[in-house]
Amino acid sequence: MANGGPVEHGYPHLETVRAAVTALYRRLSYDTVRTFSVSVAPVDVAFCDTDDLHLGAQRVARELVRHYRLPDARLIVGFREMTHAANVELASGPEYFVELNDRFRTHRRDIGAALAHEVAHVYLHRLDLSFPGTRENEILTDTTATYLGAGWLLLDAFREDEASSQKLGYLTPEEFGYVLAKRSLVFGEDPSVWFTSAQAYTAYTKGLAVARRDAEQPPLTGAGWAGRRRYARERRHAEDHRVSAGRPEVPYSFTPAEHGSLRVSFPCPTCHQRIRVPVQGRVRARCGLCRTVLECDT
Ligand SMILES: [Zn+2]
Ligand SMILES: [Zn+2]
């Protein structure tokens, strides 16, 4: 887990984040994702500076291991001077050695956040799920932690004022907010009450707006007027030219189907798997991966 430097904002990793959500559904299945309907509770990972450092770190680690349902995994948490915030040795288990940066000795309330990320590494390692490339893999790890209910701690560790800033993990604060919002939309959970950091709360509300927009794209019936107009224009173009009108600016694309008809493909607003439906007015589809019912006006 990286540490330090100016805090990056916005959505530079959004494509990888969305691919990570899809990969998670593919690897875990809908049923397993549903078992993570309850997030890690603030009280379960609370850690104040008067708690014993080592006992407290082990307690929080056990809580996270329990959350990710790794019954036999045992985390051995140590502290040392290092440039990174934290690191985990991914061996065959059941013992995993986690090193935390020495500064957590005096920032104990953020130990839960650091461990949320490191235990997600163990979880993905056990699932044998990874992305090629270190950076992509770290984004998968943060997305997994957040989507499965532990990563809100990482967002809450983000604090910024004129004098200093702190952020853990590889996603920007807004991207953490986005994944957390996607989770909250699926599970009907409201994480906003857990934040101790005002900046984290702001990032969550921004991410929530972007997450809501995923369900407001044509051909979904939730699309707005401007989006629908644009969609009608693109569809006419596809009808006239019989070519795929896949454009990077719009998330949907048309492909020719049998008997001169068209099909439109677009990302599922929940899991981002591509959905294909015939272009024939009102269509109701169900995503095979995350089971979201999709009301479309094609
Ligand atoms: Zn990592
Ligand atoms: Zn889906």
Side-chain angles (χ1 to χ4, degrees), residues 61-176:
R62 265 199 311 277
E63 200 51 53
L64 288 161
V65 162
R66 195 192 55 77
H67 178 78
Y68 287 102
R69 296 190 187 79
L70 299 165
D72 62 322
R74 217 158 70 76
L75 255 66
I76 319 284
V77 184
F79 296 83
R80 75 171 173 91
E81 212 187 303
M82 58 201 277
T83 50
H84 277 62
N87 185 49
V88 62
E89 198 179 296
L90 294 172
S92 54
E95 285 185 333
Y96 298 91
F97 292 90
V98 178
E99 292 175 322
L100 297 181
N101 191 300
D102 261 340
R103 79 186 167 84
F104 286 109
R105 289 174 183 274
T106 51
H107 291 83
R108 296 183 191 182
R109 68 169 172 162
D110 294 325
I111 286 178
L115 290 177
H117 178 94
E118 301 308 324
V119 184
H121 270 302
V122 173
Y123 184 68
L124 290 169
H125 176 69
R126 290 237 179 148
L127 285 174
D128 196 21
L129 177 60
S130 62
F131 275 3
T134 308
R135 205 166 175 78
E136 285 72 19
N137 211 44
E138 293 294 351
I139 290 166
L140 171 66
T141 306
D142 280 337
T143 304
T144 299
T146 308
Y147 203 81
L148 299 184
W152 69 269
L153 290 160
L154 284 150
L155 176 54
D156 196 42
F158 165 56
R159 286 171 222 115
E160 200 171 32
D161 58 37
E162 286 100 74
S164 65
S165 67
Q166 168 182 282
K167 191 186 75 74
L168 295 175
Y170 289 75
L171 302 188
T172 67
E174 293 77 17
E175 287 168 341
F176 271 118

Side-chain angles (χ1 to χ4, degrees), residues 5 14 22-24 50 60-61 85 94 111 133 139 152 181 204 224-225 241 267 276 278 284 286 289 295:
L14 199 54
T22 312
L24 210 51
T50 52
V60 173
I111 286 178
I139 290 166
W152 69 269
Y204 171 67
W225 177 82
H241 300 275
R276 275 172 202 81
R284 173 183 280 181
R286 184 197 272 266
L289 195 54
E295 301 286 353

